[in-house]
Amino acid sequence: MEKLKISRLFLSAWLISCLCGCSALSNVEDDARQTPIGSVMTGETTDASGYVRRVSERNRASDRDTWRPQSNERF
């Protein structure tokens, strides 16, 4: 009886970890597709100019997110 409870607990933990792993994998896959190199892997970008364009767009987007001090004075 005790072995049955342990095996059920183990099976439940295994199924939960598999479901979480699949969910995380799909999230990582979606994030990778949005990167410039991911667009090459999926076939969205097929030439060098398209890749460079995606890299520069991503750099501009990350540049907007960068914090900068209000004044030009150095500390």
Side-chain angles (χ1 to χ4, degrees):
M1 192 66 162
E2 187 68 30
K3 288 183 181 182
L4 182 62
K5 287 182 180 180
I6 291 173
S7 63
R8 283 184 183 171
L9 180 64
F10 178 74
L11 182 62
S12 298
W14 181 75
L15 287 173
I16 290 171
S17 65
C18 286
L19 290 174
C20 291
C22 291
S23 173
L25 180 63
S26 66
N27 290 340
V28 169
E29 189 175 327
D30 291 339
D31 290 343
R33 283 188 184 135
Q34 295 173 0
T35 63
I37 194 68
S39 70
V40 172
M41 300 297 272
T42 59
E44 292 176 36
T45 303
T46 56
D47 58 351
S49 62
Y51 176 76
V52 170
R53 181 182 47 79
R54 286 186 70 113
V55 168
S56 61
E57 287 173 359
R58 188 161 173 124
N59 287 345
R60 271 189 247 120
S62 66
D63 190 42
R64 278 182 251 139
D65 295 338
T66 304
W67 177 84
R68 291 188 176 78
Q70 294 293 326
S71 66
N72 290 334
E73 295 178 17
R74 296 187 127 189
F75 293 107

